[in-house]
Amino acid sequence: MNGQQLGVIEDVYLETNWGKQVIGYELTEGFISDLKEGRKWSPMPESVTVGEDAVIVPVHASEALEEIFVPKEE
């Protein structure tokens, strides 16, 4: 099975008006990477498999990643 790690889930975004439905994930690649490159946000894809140690998303989910924190240039 081939795959790509998009990051580690740091936070989960919920839509409380929809019964606490997950609407997206905040991803990190580590502290230093967060400072240098920022974190990413992944909207909830239409199909997700949740395992004990991983969340599996479709291949095209990497195209939907958005930067949510961009470090300031010095």
Side-chain angles (χ1 to χ4, degrees):
M1 180 181 255
N2 293 331
Q4 174 185 2
Q5 182 172 340
L6 301 179
V8 175
I9 296 175
E10 182 68 28
D11 208 350
V12 177
Y13 289 75
L14 303 174
E15 175 55 69
T16 56
N17 296 330
W18 296 345
K20 298 183 181 176
Q21 179 179 355
V22 176
I23 60 170
Y25 302 104
E26 185 174 316
L27 305 174
T28 180
E29 292 183 28
F31 179 73
I32 300 298
S33 180
D34 288 351
L35 291 175
K36 293 174 77 177
E37 301 170 20
R39 289 189 178 169
K40 305 269 189 287
W41 183 76
S42 173
M44 184 68 156
E46 63 280 349
S47 65
V48 174
T49 303
V50 179
E52 188 174 320
D53 295 330
V55 175
I56 311 294
V57 296
V59 173
H60 67 273
S62 64
E63 298 168 2
L65 291 177
E66 301 174 16
E67 292 182 0
I68 59 171
F69 167 76
V70 179
K72 294 182 179 179
E73 297 291 325
E74 293 187 38

